[in-house]
Amino acid sequence: MNTYSTIAELELRHTYFASGKCAAIAIKPTKETAELLQKYNFMIRNIAGKYAIVVEDRKSLPEYFTYINQVSGLDAFTFNLEVDQPDFFIYTDISSKQLGTYNYSTSNQTDGNVLTSNLVADTDVFATVKLCFNDLINNENTTYRIQFQPRVSEWIYYIINRSGLEFSNVAIKTSGNTPFEGPTSSTVPTGESAITFKSNEPITMLEVSKVRYDLVETSQNSDLPNGRIIMKGLPQAGPINTVVNTENNEEQFTSLLYLYI
């Protein structure tokens, strides 16, 4: 009876997602690798978000890879990383000045088997990853990782008081450590007046934030230090409300949040 074992795993991680797993990228073998996988009875399995290379158990995996290299000329499994979500480039910390193809390889990694990339001219694919035969032999059943980081943006809340609600001394209260400047007066594109709050520093973009933001009316009464909540749980920044501007040849991402009360 044939038995199979995992010789390596590849995991895509992204801090933007609550799960920590990058759900925005598909992994596909190149034509040469797809033919190699089929011809030499390797299989790819998606196991709990990790892409595993599985092979029929053999007495000598090094000899098997040596043979494959001799007859095919290949020294690695190569996969293309294809972006499935256009918003990926909004919530991922990748500068437009660093566009091209990101080449990852098991021969170039840091602690924890995290692969680092080499940026080359655009080859019509976002990234490639090479799982080198020598590394698979020397570090059998290793989980290799590619880690993406989220972008930060400046948040601006525009409060449009259509209901004529009377309030004063308004502020944005947050359960985190990022205070907001304001309020200031502004006019939104519809021509309506708004009061505006701006984050003092850029805020990390997350699929699900653990920080809560409330619109409150501060109190002058020492017995009511927290004041009155006008709107609880304000909407938060995401790709849908984030824009990019270029100033002094630098990208600036701003999340515009409009609240109608």
Side-chain angles (χ1 to χ4, degrees):
M1 179 178 177
N2 293 339
T3 58
Y4 294 83
S5 61
T6 299
I7 59 174
E9 292 179 325
L10 176 64
E11 183 179 27
L12 305 185
R13 306 284 299 173
H14 201 313
T15 314
Y16 169 80
F17 293 99
S19 66
K21 300 174 183 178
C22 183
I25 293 178
I27 297 178
K28 297 183 179 180
T30 62
K31 179 177 180 294
E32 293 78 11
T33 292
E35 292 173 352
L36 184 152
L37 292 170
Q38 182 177 21
K39 183 174 182 179
Y40 296 101
N41 298 318
F42 291 95
M43 294 180 291
I44 301 295
R45 294 287 184 267
N46 189 340
I47 304 173
K50 298 178 183 178
Y51 294 83
I53 298 180
V54 179
V55 67
E56 182 182 351
D57 282 341
R58 295 178 177 274
K59 293 181 179 179
S60 178
L61 193 60
E63 290 181 4
Y64 193 43
F65 275 128
T66 298
Y67 169 75
I68 293 172
N69 173 249
Q70 289 174 344
V71 298
S72 70
L74 299 176
D75 62 358
F77 297 112
T78 303
F79 300 87
N80 290 332
L81 305 186
E82 300 179 358
V83 176
D84 282 343
Q85 299 179 7
D87 289 343
F88 175 83
F89 295 99
I90 298 178
Y91 59 71
T92 304
D93 188 20
I94 296 177
S95 171
S96 63
K97 297 179 181 178
Q98 296 176 300
L99 296 182
T101 295
Y102 291 82
N103 288 340
Y104 294 89
S105 172
T106 54
S107 64
N108 190 15
Q109 57 181 288
T110 61
D111 293 341
N113 304 114
V114 177
L115 306 186
T116 57
S117 63
N118 175 36
L119 183 63
V120 300
D122 193 355
T123 59
D124 296 325
V125 63
F126 165 63
T128 67
V129 56
K130 292 180 67 173
L131 304 182
C132 301
F133 295 162
N134 284 340
D135 294 319
L136 303 187
I137 292 169
N138 295 327
N139 303 286
E140 190 172 344
N141 203 18
T142 295
T143 297
Y144 298 98
R145 296 178 176 87
I146 295 176
Q147 179 70 57
F148 298 102
Q149 300 298 336
R151 194 180 297 284
V152 298
S153 69
E154 177 186 65
W155 291 21
I156 302 178
Y157 280 104
Y158 295 94
I159 315 297
I160 298 97
N161 187 5
R162 286 181 172 176
S163 63
L165 183 67
E166 293 186 7
F167 51 74
S168 59
N169 300 319
V170 290
I172 290 183
K173 180 183 177 183
T174 170
S175 62
N177 298 319
T178 302
F180 281 76
E181 300 174 356
T184 58
S185 298
S186 63
T187 301
V188 296
T190 61
E192 296 171 280
S193 297
I195 56 175
T196 303
F197 294 92
K198 181 185 298 185
S199 60
N200 277 355
E201 59 187 47
I203 300 174
T204 300
M205 213 176 288
L206 297 173
E207 181 186 32
V208 179
S209 176
K210 295 180 180 179
V211 178
R212 198 183 76 186
Y213 302 86
D214 298 329
L215 180 65
V216 302
E217 183 176 25
T218 58
S219 174
Q220 304 300 316
N221 187 340
S222 59
D223 294 330
L224 298 170
N226 293 326
R228 176 171 68 99
I229 295 179
I230 300 172
M231 185 176 288
K232 187 176 183 179
L234 300 183
Q236 300 187 18
I240 195 171
N241 51 34
T242 300
V243 298
V244 59
N245 297 297
T246 303
E247 186 174 323
N248 298 325
N249 205 30
E250 293 292 331
E251 288 182 331
Q252 295 182 343
F253 283 79
T254 305
S255 299
L256 309 175
L257 301 126
Y258 294 89
L259 304 179
Y260 296 90
I261 59 176

